[in-house]
Amino acid sequence: MPGTLCITWTITSSASPMPILTCARCDTRRAFASSGRFRLNANGKRLDAWLIYRCTVCDQTWNRPVFERRARNTVDPALLDALQRNDPEFATKTALDMTGIKRWEPGGDDTAISVAKAVASTCKAEAVLLEITMRMPSPVPGIRCDKLLALGLGVSRSAVDKLARGGRLAFEPGATTALARPVRDGQRVWLKLNGLGNAALLLAAASGQSDIPVSAGSIPVD
């Protein structure tokens, strides 16, 4: 008897989100990008550390606090070493943390987004329903649900909209308006496959089992 194929998508990005701040030099709000470098300042027995950002238009700097006025003997030696070495992994982790940042825009483009696909459970017969669970180990701010589905399924965003309007997509949480909203960690999407002529291609693309590279718009939806 036909059933449901459950798949987990783990979404990561190699690009960091860019805070929207008032640039003192441009005298207007601009996006600031992480430079990947830290500034460390010692004042007596206390330390200050910042991640340096630069305005994407004029290169004006903004120092984002990592910590301030911290007693030197309370700073983890591994953290101090990472700051002194401008450790790329720690710089990325810091830039991905949007705590305290009210406005930002995504960094990079579609090529910066990676979707790792894993089959969580398989039905014994031909699947008529595809269940996708979205996981984001680190924040990927600003990525809309329709954009992610297009990337993961190998279809265009207009094709995703067509599937939604045809009643083939369901969302938890939310209704079809979820397409225009940012993806949430743990969000689930269901796609009804019965009656679709290219169901096998969509299944292969969604589960990462396609023999050909999949990109947005590469698979037509009939």
Side-chain angles (χ1 to χ4, degrees):
M1 182 176 179
T4 302
L5 179 65
C6 300
I7 296 172
T8 299
W9 286 0
T10 303
I11 303 109
T12 56
S13 175
S14 60
S16 302
M18 299 185 294
I20 305 297
L21 307 166
T22 299
C23 176
R25 187 177 298 171
C26 295
D27 196 27
T28 189
R29 297 183 72 82
R30 299 290 194 193
F32 278 68
S34 169
S35 68
R37 299 185 65 82
F38 294 96
R39 178 185 173 190
L40 193 61
N41 182 61
N43 187 352
K45 294 183 180 181
R46 296 191 176 274
L47 294 176
D48 300 298
W50 303 272
L51 177 61
I52 302 172
Y53 283 72
R54 294 187 181 279
C55 173
T56 54
V57 175
C58 73
D59 223 29
Q60 172 77 5
T61 60
W62 170 63
N63 294 333
R64 180 182 179 183
V66 177
F67 58 76
E68 293 179 296
R69 309 298 296 166
R70 180 84 61 85
R72 187 185 185 96
N73 60 3
T74 66
V75 179
D76 187 325
L79 172 58
L80 186 59
D81 178 65
L83 293 168
Q84 291 173 327
R85 292 188 295 104
N86 293 310
D87 180 71
E89 185 175 346
F90 183 63
T92 298
K93 180 181 178 181
T94 304
L96 285 172
D97 183 0
M98 288 290 97
T99 302
I101 304 297
K102 294 182 179 180
R103 293 184 58 195
W104 64 80
E105 65 180 46
D109 53 24
D110 290 355
T111 62
I113 299 171
S114 176
V115 182
K117 305 168 183 178
V119 176
S121 64
T122 310
C123 55
K124 294 182 179 179
E126 181 182 355
V128 295
L129 185 65
L130 180 62
E131 179 182 296
I132 304 169
T133 301
M134 316 286 195
R135 292 296 181 190
M136 291 186 288
S138 299
V140 185
I143 181 167
R144 288 171 37 140
C145 188
D146 58 349
K147 181 178 181 180
L148 184 60
L149 286 171
L151 288 171
L153 295 173
V155 300
S156 65
R157 289 170 73 173
S158 62
V160 171
D161 183 63
K162 180 181 178 181
L163 290 170
R165 286 186 284 105
R168 291 189 172 275
L169 288 175
F171 306 85
E172 184 188 64
T176 53
T177 53
L179 281 177
R181 297 174 181 171
V183 174
R184 301 180 184 180
D185 181 38
Q187 184 173 2
R188 290 191 292 175
V189 179
W190 290 270
L191 170 61
K192 298 177 182 178
L193 296 167
N194 52 310
L196 278 176
N198 59 351
L201 289 175
L202 291 173
L203 271 173
S207 60
Q209 297 173 356
S210 177
D211 292 331
I212 59 174
V214 174
S215 59
S218 62
I219 298 176
V221 171
D222 51 12

